[in-house]
Amino acid sequence: MIQLHDITYHYPDGTPGLSHVDLTLHKGECCVVTGPNGCGKSTLFRVLNGLAFPQSGSYLLDGQPVTERSLRSRSNAAAFHRRIGYLFQNSEAQLFTRSVEDEIAFGLWQLDLPEEEVHARTEKYLRMLSLEAMRHRAPFHLSGGEKKRCALAAVLAMEPEALILDEPLGGLDEEGQQWISDCIRSLKGPDRLILLATHSRSLADSIADRRLTMDKDHRLYSAE
Ligand SMILES: Nc1ncnc2c1ncn2[C@@H]1O[C@H](COP(=O)(O)OP(=O)(O)OP(=O)(O)O)[C@@H](O)[C@H]1O
Ligand SMILES: [Mg+2]
């Protein structure tokens, strides 16, 4: 589904993010990326989500190049974001509506789903992430772990083919970690690609079909 070939990326200030990264991801697999702080996991995810464009190398989604130019077309960008759901490492960067329920419904309205479907999915994911009691609260005023659950609900509600989750357990208490780990495991299936970055060994051990690791030189390796 996703193919990266020889991707190198550095930030505008010259900081290196990715060095000669090759990666092939197939539908149906769950792939876990680990590596030390600053090795480039979030940078890799930004590239995969079309938020950063590498200086060299190629990115193909089902054989079609994903470039700054291709995503400039609104219809291409909409189709792309429909297929790939992205949970940011920092949930605050992701939450922007006035209530938890609006946060979940917002993306669904963008999909042009019928009103009943938007309401049904909003209720389903409020329930799945145990957010019903805080549905009218402002996402910005939730605790760190609650924000993570709200952002995850909004991403999952889109029911994308590929889920790219950056530190989904970040800021969660032990019970929350267990519970979100179980929730993510339940999303594995033959039609879904899951790629996640985590510092949690137990999540990585319990969910990964394939392990990748990045080193401090921003290179990506198979950890098998
Ligand atoms: N906006 C930015 N501008 C400049 N440099 C950045 C920016 N964002 C990240 N970096 C740098 O790029 C490198 C890779 O960062 P990245 O966030 O991808 O690491 P990471 O593997 O996700 O780390 P962590 O485990 O802490 O989440 C680091 O050296 C980081 O300081
Ligand atoms: Mg990161």
Side-chain angles (χ1 to χ4, degrees):
M1 183 176 176
I2 286 177
Q3 263 182 305
L4 298 183
H5 178 60
D6 202 13
I7 293 276
T8 292
Y9 177 82
H10 52 78
Y11 284 92
D13 67 0
T15 308
L18 298 171
S19 178
H20 301 287
V21 165
D22 287 307
L23 174 64
T24 301
L25 294 166
H26 303 281
K27 219 168 160 173
E29 72 176 342
C30 177
C31 193
V32 174
V33 188
T34 53
N37 291 136
C39 67
K41 304 179 297 294
S42 297
T43 307
L44 172 67
F45 287 11
R46 289 172 57 79
V47 166
L48 290 171
N49 284 283
L51 298 173
F53 298 96
Q55 283 79 20
S56 63
S58 63
Y59 173 9
L60 301 178
L61 179 63
D62 286 338
Q64 296 298 315
V66 176
T67 61
E68 190 162 14
R69 193 190 159 99
S70 75
L71 292 182
R72 234 178 262 144
S73 139
R74 275 179 72 110
S75 59
N76 278 351
F80 176 79
H81 292 296
R82 188 166 301 190
R83 297 189 65 190
I84 300 187
Y86 176 35
L87 180 76
F88 289 46
Q89 180 165 9
N90 171 10
S91 307
E92 277 188 9
Q94 187 147 23
L95 302 169
F96 60 96
T97 64
R98 288 159 61 143
S99 72
V100 169
E101 62 181 15
D102 284 353
E103 196 67 49
I104 299 172
F106 180 84
L108 301 175
W109 291 120
Q110 310 306 308
L111 295 182
D112 283 331
L113 295 172
E115 198 174 331
E116 313 82 76
E117 176 72 11
V118 172
H119 291 307
R121 282 210 213 172
T122 303
E123 293 309 314
K124 175 177 170 188
Y125 290 92
L126 278 169
R127 240 186 347 265
M128 187 189 266
L129 279 300
S130 267
L131 293 163
E132 291 138 302
M134 51 193 97
R135 61 189 300 152
H136 299 302
R137 290 184 54 202
F140 196 72
H141 291 142
L142 300 177
S143 79
E146 290 165 351
K147 281 186 181 131
K148 188 65 95 180
R149 268 158 50 205
C150 179
L152 190 56
V155 171
L156 297 185
M158 306 281 284
E159 301 184 350
E161 252 174 280
L163 276 173
I164 298 190
L165 309 175
D166 198 352
E167 299 290 348
L169 305 186
L172 297 177
D173 61 29
E174 236 168 75
E175 192 188 340
Q177 292 195 21
Q178 186 59 52
W179 183 64
I180 295 295
S181 299
D182 293 342
C183 174
I184 298 170
R185 257 192 307 277
S186 75
L187 297 168
K188 283 178 73 164
D191 293 326
R192 180 166 281 139
L193 164 66
I194 301 178
L195 176 67
L196 64 89
T198 185
H199 291 294
S200 160
R201 184 168 301 198
S202 66
L203 176 61
D205 288 345
S206 68
I207 202 166
D209 299 318
R210 189 150 71 93
R211 303 279 287 266
L212 301 167
T213 183
M214 291 190 78
D215 66 12
K216 58 178 180 25
D217 295 324
H218 317 290
R219 288 175 173 269
L220 182 72
Y221 298 94
S222 167
E224 248 73 64

